Amino acid sequence: MRRFKLDGLKLGALLWAAGLALPFALDSSWVSIAAFFAIYAITALSEDVILGRAGMFDMGHAVYFGIGAYVTAILNTTLNVPILLTLPLAMLLAAAAGALLSAPLIRLRGDYLLVATIGFNAIFVLAMQNNPGGITGGSDGITGIGVPSLFGLQLESQSAMFWLDWALLGLVLLVMRNLDTCEFGRALRYLKQDELAASTLGVDARKVKTLAFALGAALAGLAGTLFAVQLSTVSPSSFVFTESVTLFAIVIVGGQGSIPGVLLGTALMFVVPQIFRSLAEYRYFVFGIAMIAVMVLRPQGLLPRKRSAA
Amino acid sequence: MGTFVQQIVNGLTVGGIYALIALGYTMVYGVMRLINFAHGDLCILGAFVGLTMLTGSAGGGHPGAALLLLALVVSIIAIAGAGVLLERIAYRPLRKADRLAAVVSALGASLMIENGIMLIWGPQVHVFPSNLLPATTWHVAGATISFVQVMIILASLVLMAALYLFVNHTRFGTAIRAAAIDQDAARLMGINVNRVITSVFIIGPGLGAIGGLFIGIYYREAYFTMGWTYGLYAFIAAILGGIGNIPGAMLGGVLLGLFNAFAAGYVSSSWQDAITFGLLIVILLVRPTGLLGERVAEKV
Amino acid sequence: MSALLELDGVGISFGGLRAVDDLSFTVNEGQIVGLIGPNGAGKTTVFNMITGVYKPGAGAIRWQGNDITGAKPARIATLGLRRTFQTIRLFTEMSVFENVRAGYHLAARQRWWQGLLALPAQRGEEAELAARTHDILRRLDLESVADAPATALPYGVQRRVELARTLAGQPKLIILDEPAAGLNDAESAALNDTIFMIRETGVTILLVEHDMNVVMQVSDHIVVINFGRKIAEGNAVSIRADPAVIEAYLGREDDEAAAA
């Protein structure tokens, strides 16, 4: 068991290192797809913290992704704050939103939380469209977001941005792995499986769940910053309810609480549609059928989480 | 005063439609604990099937009530059939699985139906014929009431009353209520739960098809993504009344329709949806089980 | 002997039905106290009130003299008061080891960010708590099934896993809700030894049990309730002879036989 886990880690590290070479092997449009994969993988992993690990039905996760993107876009375009400085702020604000929005709703039973988070998503998108205070740019959004610079180096090229995204994905993967083997991560699983039993063992459900929401939102905020940079523009349509549904589906289709599962799910739900762009019309029809088929054939997801002893 | 009465009439019309669609959500949830995300799309599929009947055979002039009735019947049968099929293929194999698997399956079904509509009928907005019903209007207390509105309000009321009587005063209705409270116990009492579930997937989408067609007739348009919008509203209505609770869905639908009409009448329309969702969240916080309470038992 | 847990006139109603009424008793440190009563007497309800699952409608519950009435389950747990459930509640998707390790949740001092960064102090604590988990598993003879999925095991073993989880983290008092339910004779006999063994380690025990043999053999003090009210209290000998107890159980003789 233990040997296998180490091998899994090694394999992951190896794949990640190999990924660094992608810009040398692919043309720029594919490098851009790879960069989007990294960004959406971080978002999906952040949804997994809340949905897959803590078992809270969050179907409005695009909100936190969006908050991250808008924070970076607004700070960078109006106050000229350097991109990499906006990143911690994006994470912090997304985390605060996650904690604040979830705190009163956490005691709700699964389906009600799901409905409430759908509501948050709808309100968020409407708010961005209605351009409150003239800061969100309405339906057109915000354009002209700058490029990040690291130690005076402008990360302008597609490859440089890819490496930034890829490096941060690596960090997030490490955090997700550590989550498996720390008390906080286990507390999430206790709560997911039996909240009453967990609380009689001293797990403070309210605190742990709020923290999970904040962490998931913070990581989504991080991805939001990267997203804004990658597109150099943000608009409400990138954070609509359908995006939340896709993130939700990635976690369930891939495998709840399973890192390889979520990565595979991201690849299937975000990258494959890019490949079949020419079939645009049939794409989502086939997609819907595939979602049903995967669930019926593999209800636990494509790569379910392994039972582990340690 | 005129606006006020007008909003009430508009609200009741839309509310009746919401209620018809909400019943499908609430009945399925009651029996299976499943949010059938594909329900809204089924309803709009009903509108498209009906539209095809209406336009395909319209030989000019007044199509008349008979044609409308035929379109309704065909649409109901088609959508009820689709509902039963959907349950067999996408939900029945997942009854014992993790609940979230069924949720994702439902989301997939929604995507499939929505885009299936687009593939068949195209992405453009379809206009419903304007000569379906008499253009008669009445003026009451400064408000204008159209024939369509009266028809929708009356038809929704009659259908809801019929469903209420069926569920509360027939043997099969009792079986549905029993299965909603405790499936296992119902099975032990000799109730054929599979039949109950099939019936729920006939009644819900059947009523939904009527609701979908009413949307088309009332707003005089249909497009493929409509299912999400109206489905979500109807779903909110079901939650508002207490999910799983049949009278609750009726009440929730009517109240949401009125609420929306007044929000549209008195508040900026660009914030209308935000207000509706805000109301939903407030209700969930203050009274999570809805106005009439949910009909879902949970044991500690 | 000092009082660890006191119930003082505790009561609760469900929809107009008084499930527990004016109930008072005391559990002293180091004691094994048995709470018995016919079916539906309100025993599990009493446990649910002590452990914060239900909030009492009347009366007070005190822990070492401090009022803990209506405190939440997670806070009750921090006092060193743990419980098992009548219907075993193990974490279904976890191994035996992981289930028992869950009992050390409060013993873990690591902060969440230390865990996410996998700092050395956190790693050290993980290793230490894993070792302590293995100690408990050994003591309850569960080491050989440590890696098995908890819910795939026989019922009797699952009960022991739940007991092990309860003992992890050195509780002061454990509450056992029908620990002998579903056990065979051999397992039931072994349970008596286990209960004594637990007391030896300085843990006070309050148990609800249907199996009169178990209760009579292990309890220092017995509280009998019927229809939510206390009808007798004392040691095994006095309880056996108590007319009110005999009357309460006599009408239920058939049920008891059927249940056993």
Side-chain angles (χ1 to χ4, degrees):
Chain A
M1 211 69 180
R2 197 161 173 78
R3 257 191 66 146
F4 177 78
K5 278 195 88 167
L6 279 173
D7 286 349
L9 179 64
K10 273 183 197 150
L11 184 68
L14 219 63
L15 283 174
W16 180 83
L20 287 173
L22 282 177
F24 302 115
L26 302 172
D27 66 29
S28 75
S29 70
W30 278 99
V31 173
S32 150
I33 289 181
F36 275 116
F37 168 78
I39 293 167
Y40 279 115
I42 294 173
T43 322
L45 288 166
S46 74
E47 166 80 322
D48 186 49
V49 173
I50 298 170
L51 172 65
R53 305 197 181 227
M56 293 183 285
F57 299 178
D58 172 18
M59 214 182 254
H61 202 60
V63 170
Y64 313 114
F65 186 45
I67 289 175
Y70 270 98
V71 167
T72 291
I74 293 169
L75 289 179
N76 182 256
T77 55
T78 58
L79 301 173
N80 269 323
V81 181
I83 297 286
L84 289 182
L85 256 181
T86 67
L87 193 143
L89 285 169
M91 290 179 73
L92 214 64
L93 276 166
L100 281 176
L101 293 182
S102 65
L105 295 165
I106 265 170
R107 62 194 165 83
L108 293 181
R109 219 193 47 214
D111 291 329
Y112 291 113
L113 184 61
L114 187 150
V115 174
T117 52
I118 292 176
F120 285 141
N121 205 150
I123 293 173
F124 174 74
V125 170
L126 283 164
M128 294 304 107
Q129 283 170 347
N130 286 335
N131 200 10
I135 58 167
T136 68
S139 296
D140 298 334
I142 300 169
T143 52
I145 299 161
V147 291
S149 65
L150 198 59
F151 310 120
L153 211 71
Q154 293 278 310
L155 304 180
E156 239 166 331
S157 72
Q158 184 55 59
S159 303
M161 282 205 221
F162 165 78
W163 279 317
L164 175 67
D165 299 339
W166 200 250
L168 287 169
L169 170 63
L171 285 178
V172 171
L173 285 170
L174 276 179
V175 166
M176 293 300 286
R177 203 196 107 79
N178 292 340
L179 192 59
D180 273 336
T181 54
C182 76
E183 196 59 37
F184 170 52
R186 274 192 301 261
L188 296 181
R189 272 149 61 208
Y190 302 150
L191 286 173
K192 180 184 180 186
Q193 293 182 31
D194 190 333
E195 184 163 336
L196 179 60
S199 59
T200 60
L201 296 171
V203 179
D204 186 339
R206 173 168 276 274
K207 188 178 136 201
V208 172
K209 285 176 165 185
T210 309
L211 204 53
F213 245 103
L215 175 65
L219 294 179
L222 164 73
T225 295
L226 298 179
F227 183 79
V229 172
Q230 179 70 28
L231 277 182
S232 83
T233 166
V234 295
S235 68
S237 60
S238 301
F239 313 107
V240 292
F241 173 54
T242 326
E243 297 296 314
S244 295
V245 167
T246 310
L247 291 168
F248 192 95
I250 285 175
V251 171
I252 310 300
V253 165
Q256 297 174 51
S258 151
I259 294 173
V262 172
L263 293 178
L264 177 66
T266 309
L268 290 178
M269 305 281 274
F270 274 113
V271 181
V272 173
Q274 301 292 324
I275 299 172
F276 290 107
R277 262 221 160 109
S278 52
L279 297 170
E281 286 216 311
Y282 293 89
R283 188 163 69 168
Y284 288 105
F285 180 70
V286 175
F287 216 61
I289 295 175
M291 275 163 75
I292 300 174
V294 170
M295 287 296 96
V296 168
L297 299 174
R298 285 186 75 90
Q300 295 303 309
L302 292 169
L303 291 175
R305 183 192 176 84
K306 294 210 165 45
R307 273 179 209 276
S308 63
Chain B
M1 181 62 196
T3 345
F4 182 78
V5 178
Q6 188 70 58
Q7 300 309 351
I8 287 194
V9 176
N10 295 353
L12 284 178
T13 312
V14 179
I17 298 176
Y18 287 162
L20 287 180
I21 300 178
L23 285 166
Y25 281 108
T26 227
M27 289 181 78
V28 167
Y29 192 90
V31 176
M32 296 181 73
R33 306 288 178 274
L34 168 73
I35 301 174
N36 180 13
F37 280 105
H39 184 63
D41 302 290
L42 278 178
C43 299
I44 295 308
L45 181 62
F48 274 93
V49 169
L51 178 66
T52 303
M53 291 295 299
L54 291 171
T55 51
S57 43
H62 210 293
L67 184 58
L68 184 60
L69 213 61
L70 179 71
L72 254 178
V73 171
V74 171
S75 167
I76 291 169
I77 292 171
I79 302 310
V84 171
L85 208 64
L86 177 68
E87 192 269 326
R88 284 285 154 84
I89 295 170
Y91 304 151
R92 187 165 296 190
L94 291 171
R95 245 185 250 168
K96 295 267 179 284
D98 187 334
R99 299 187 52 216
L100 291 175
V103 169
V104 170
S105 193
L107 290 167
S110 164
L111 215 52
M112 179 188 76
I113 297 170
E114 180 181 307
N115 287 279
I117 293 175
M118 185 198 72
L119 289 174
I120 297 173
W121 282 280
Q124 71 277 25
V125 174
H126 290 256
V127 180
F128 264 68
S130 57
N131 55 351
L132 284 176
L133 293 162
T136 320
T137 52
W138 294 276
H139 297 274
V140 181
T144 312
I145 306 172
S146 70
F147 183 87
V148 179
Q149 288 182 316
V150 173
M151 180 196 78
I152 290 175
I153 293 171
L154 286 181
S156 323
L157 283 177
V158 169
L159 286 165
M160 284 191 272
L163 181 71
Y164 187 79
L165 291 176
F166 171 72
V167 170
N168 286 292
H169 296 282
T170 64
R171 267 180 72 87
F172 199 72
T174 312
I176 293 178
R177 281 182 294 136
I181 293 165
D182 189 334
Q183 262 194 38
D184 294 321
R187 197 172 282 119
L188 289 174
M189 305 309 271
I191 291 171
N192 184 341
V193 173
N194 278 337
R195 253 185 74 201
V196 168
I197 289 175
T198 303
S199 76
V200 161
F201 273 93
I202 291 173
I203 300 171
L207 290 172
I210 304 173
L213 201 52
F214 280 177
I215 289 176
I217 293 170
Y218 185 55
Y219 293 107
R220 295 210 30 237
E221 61 176 21
Y223 47 93
F224 74 107
T225 54
M226 230 177 176
W228 259 121
T229 323
Y230 289 96
L232 212 51
Y233 272 124
F235 180 59
I236 293 174
I239 298 269
L240 219 60
I243 187 107
N245 185 321
I246 290 174
M250 301 174 185
L251 179 71
V254 172
L255 286 182
L256 185 67
L258 288 171
F259 183 82
N260 263 357
F262 280 99
Y266 294 105
V267 194
S268 138
S269 68
S270 59
W271 286 99
Q272 187 195 334
D273 280 1
I275 293 169
T276 306
F277 282 105
L279 169 83
L280 169 75
I281 291 166
V282 169
I283 294 264
L284 285 173
L285 283 177
V286 179
R287 203 177 152 77
T289 54
L291 297 171
L292 295 190
E294 62 173 344
R295 291 281 161 83
V296 179
E298 212 176 7
K299 258 189 162 177
V300 178
Chain C
M1 278 206 294
S2 64
L4 200 53
L5 177 73
E6 286 168 87
L7 273 71
D8 185 0
V10 170
I12 190 171
S13 301
F14 297 112
L17 180 80
R18 254 201 152 355
V20 173
D21 191 15
D22 195 24
L23 180 67
S24 304
F25 66 86
T26 301
V27 180
N28 290 319
E29 222 169 320
Q31 264 189 329
I32 299 178
V33 174
L35 179 67
I36 62 171
N39 267 335
K43 295 163 294 189
T44 296
T45 307
V46 174
F47 281 9
N48 280 338
M49 285 192 286
I50 297 172
T51 53
V53 178
Y54 298 152
K55 195 181 164 125
I61 299 172
R62 278 186 287 274
W63 175 259
Q64 295 181 317
N66 302 313
D67 189 13
I68 56 162
T69 320
K72 294 259 167 17
R75 177 158 135 61
I76 300 285
T78 62
L79 303 171
L81 202 162
R82 294 288 182 84
R83 72 176 287 183
T84 63
F85 294 89
Q86 197 174 334
T87 52
I88 308 172
R89 294 185 87 125
L90 293 176
F91 299 118
T92 50
E93 285 170 33
M94 292 188 187
S95 68
V96 168
F97 174 89
E98 288 175 298
N99 263 284
V100 177
R101 171 67 182 74
Y104 283 111
H105 176 72
L106 287 173
R109 298 264 68 92
Q110 56 181 275
R111 305 300 308 266
W112 59 273
W113 49 270
Q114 292 173 315
L116 294 182
L117 299 175
L119 298 181
Q122 184 257 345
R123 300 283 90 193
E125 183 179 84
E126 287 296 328
E128 184 217 321
L129 292 177
R132 281 168 71 185
T133 305
H134 281 294
D135 281 344
I136 297 247
L137 289 173
R138 259 191 299 281
R139 258 170 58 202
L140 286 177
D141 198 20
L142 289 165
E143 187 70 17
S144 60
V145 292
D147 290 339
T151 44
L153 297 167
Y155 203 70
V157 183
Q158 289 193 38
R159 281 230 175 268
R160 242 180 314 140
V161 175
E162 202 189 27
L163 189 59
R165 186 176 73 183
T166 311
L167 290 174
Q170 264 120 42
K172 292 194 180 69
L173 170 72
I174 58 171
I175 295 183
L176 306 178
D177 199 347
E178 305 225 5
L183 300 189
N184 61 35
D185 288 348
E187 286 171 333
S188 184
L191 176 69
N192 287 4
D193 296 338
T194 308
I195 290 176
F196 285 127
M197 189 255 304
I198 292 169
R199 201 241 306 255
E200 288 304 304
T201 63
V203 179
T204 306
I205 298 169
L206 169 62
L207 78 156
V208 152
E209 187 44 69
H210 230 83
D211 185 331
M212 291 305 249
N213 286 327
V214 173
V215 180
M216 294 295 174
Q217 280 166 31
V218 304
S219 304
D220 304 311
H221 186 79
I222 297 172
V223 177
V224 190
I225 62 173
N226 196 14
F227 297 115
R229 299 186 75 104
K230 184 168 76 182
I231 57 171
E233 186 171 20
N235 62 26
V237 179
S238 72
I239 290 296
R240 275 210 184 88
D242 192 296
V245 177
I246 294 169
E247 196 198 313
Y249 271 92
L250 217 54
R252 297 268 172 172
E253 204 77 88
D254 297 341
D255 293 357
E256 289 300 307

